[in-house]
Amino acid sequence: MALYTLREVLEKAEKGKYSVGMFNVLNVEMLRGIIGAAEELRSPVIIALAEVHLPFVDFEDISHLMIKAAKDADVPVVVHFDHGQSFENIVKAIHYGFTSVMIDASMESFDENVRRTKEIVKIAKVLGVSVEAELGHVGGSEGSSETTFAPEDYYTKVEDAKKFVDSTNIDALAVAIGTVHGEYKFTPKLDFKRLEEIKKSVNIPLVLHGGSGLSDDDFKKAIKYGISKINIFTDMSLAAVNSIEELLECKCNKINCEGCFGLNKPDKEKLIEIIVKKVVQEIKEMDKKERKVTYPDIIQASMEGIKEEVKKKMRVFGSVNKA
């Protein structure tokens, strides 16, 4: 099935009153798990590479893998560049074949956000690529457990939403209504009234970042009040780690990760790599006849954990059988 743009997939989602999940990709296992879930449930899907994750992958190599997987899939797939802040990287994503890009200038002034967003729109629209932008700011970081950010400080202002959309000609708007990236250290309280008012003021699909950790009820209400795209990363990462824990019949808190990769507290997206290194070290000390877990077993476990988590989210988002 051909690659789809974000506009194509989200316009259908808006009409059908469901949401399409966007799932970040860091490696082949994540890519296979996400696409596999979408094909099994006949759901459209958005696979994404976030600019913050570029230190962990080769940009060009992972892009080619994502594009090929999308083309080979038998469901609609959008290939999206998430939270692009660098003009150069956003243009590279377009060059590599991404069908959607996000320009995130949300921490800039309103006028600067508009200026930088219009710059990307002017390039992307000529090439048929969709553009997402953010107004207000969703704090935290992808896969991080450090979320001391106070979301109410950066809520999207209703009165600014229409002006921003009209000024930029974007295809989708990411709004800040109380979510954060990464794991929540508090119970999230979403401002659904604000979301409802924003939706009434604009005529494009709305996007919810920081979806991991929300309740099913939160998701369903967000979709009811106008959200057509929901971003997920941390929940997938945790699902992969949990699957590996079960395979190894161990608890991660028994593994001393202090100092790993020069970090005091490792990011969740690195935790899989840390665990694998620890396990491989232990396996080397075992007699070959006693080995019960292999590296391919770990790969398979992480992929299956991701697939099941993605399927769970797709069912909640209402995108099953919408391909």
Side-chain angles (χ1 to χ4, degrees):
M1 190 170 287
L3 282 164
Y4 281 64
T5 66
L6 191 65
R7 174 184 282 273
E8 291 172 321
V9 166
L10 295 192
E11 282 183 349
K12 188 175 179 181
E14 268 199 310
K15 293 177 181 177
K17 299 188 183 304
Y18 61 89
S19 192
V20 181
M22 189 219 78
F23 304 93
N24 289 110
V25 172
L26 278 176
N27 55 29
V28 174
E29 292 73 52
M30 297 184 84
L31 183 58
R32 290 177 61 196
I34 296 163
I35 297 292
E39 290 182 325
E40 286 184 23
L41 296 186
R42 309 306 305 158
S43 171
V45 68
I46 303 160
I47 56 174
L49 175 65
E51 184 168 299
V52 71
H53 291 153
L54 289 180
F56 311 123
V57 297
D58 182 274
F59 195 176
E60 186 171 4
D61 288 349
I62 195 69
S63 298
H64 292 331
L65 290 172
M66 292 169 70
I67 298 295
K68 183 180 186 304
K71 288 181 176 178
D72 291 345
D74 60 6
V75 294
V77 181
V78 177
V79 182
H80 179 73
F81 189 60
D82 192 29
H83 284 290
Q85 297 182 331
S86 159
F87 177 87
E88 290 77 11
N89 283 330
I90 294 173
V91 172
K92 277 185 181 180
I94 295 172
H95 173 71
Y96 291 148
F98 283 57
T99 57
S100 173
V101 294
M102 177 189 182
I103 165 65
D104 183 2
S106 59
M107 287 301 286
E108 304 289 348
S109 68
F110 180 88
D111 289 342
E112 180 64 8
N113 193 351
V114 168
R115 186 195 69 78
R116 291 187 58 194
T117 300
K118 288 174 68 175
E119 183 179 47
I120 297 301
V121 169
K122 185 176 181 180
I123 297 169
K125 290 299 181 72
V126 172
L127 300 172
V129 174
S130 297
V131 179
E132 173 187 334
E134 184 171 315
L135 183 63
H137 183 68
V138 180
S141 61
E142 298 283 1
S144 174
S145 61
E146 298 300 306
T147 53
T148 56
F149 178 84
E152 62 274 12
D153 293 342
Y154 295 94
Y155 279 159
T156 303
K157 295 179 181 179
V158 178
E159 60 270 24
D160 287 342
K162 186 179 189 308
K163 181 180 177 182
F164 185 82
V165 171
D166 290 345
S167 299
T168 58
N169 194 32
I170 55 174
D171 298 292
L173 177 67
V175 295
I177 59 167
T179 57
V180 297
H181 295 109
E183 288 186 82
Y184 287 91
K185 294 297 185 183
F186 51 85
T187 301
K189 294 181 181 179
L190 306 190
D191 190 340
F192 293 110
K193 180 63 175 176
R194 181 182 299 268
L195 174 60
E196 185 178 20
E197 291 176 354
I198 293 170
K199 183 58 183 173
K200 288 178 181 178
S201 73
V202 302
N203 60 354
I204 62 171
L206 300 182
V207 179
L208 186 70
H209 286 243
S212 293
L214 298 183
S215 68
D216 290 355
D217 187 53
D218 282 336
F219 284 129
K220 291 174 182 177
K221 282 185 179 180
I223 295 167
K224 176 182 176 181
Y225 291 122
I227 292 295
S228 299
K229 171 178 176 277
I230 300 174
N231 291 16
I232 300 293
F233 174 72
T234 301
D235 278 352
M236 282 196 307
S237 182
L238 292 172
V241 172
N242 291 339
S243 295
I244 294 172
E245 283 184 357
E246 291 175 8
L247 175 68
L248 301 174
E249 295 180 348
C250 70
K251 295 296 181 181
C252 289
N253 59 13
K254 292 182 180 179
I255 298 177
N256 179 15
C257 295
E258 294 296 325
C260 293
F261 302 95
L263 300 171
N264 290 325
K265 294 182 179 178
D267 292 336
K268 288 295 180 183
E269 63 263 26
K270 296 182 181 178
L271 192 51
I272 295 175
E273 186 175 354
I274 294 171
I275 292 172
V276 169
K277 285 192 174 184
K278 294 286 186 179
V279 171
V280 170
Q281 183 179 354
E282 291 182 12
I283 288 176
K284 286 181 179 179
E285 297 174 358
M286 296 167 56
D287 184 89
K288 291 183 179 180
K289 295 181 181 180
E290 295 179 354
R291 292 181 183 176
K292 296 180 181 180
V293 178
T294 66
Y295 183 62
D297 292 332
I298 294 172
I299 292 174
Q300 185 67 26
S302 66
M303 186 178 70
E304 289 301 323
I306 287 166
K307 181 191 286 187
E308 289 308 309
E309 184 62 29
V310 171
K311 287 166 68 174
K312 184 190 303 181
K313 291 295 192 289
M314 288 175 169
R315 293 186 181 103
V316 176
F317 299 169
S319 63
V320 175
N321 294 322
K322 297 298 194 301

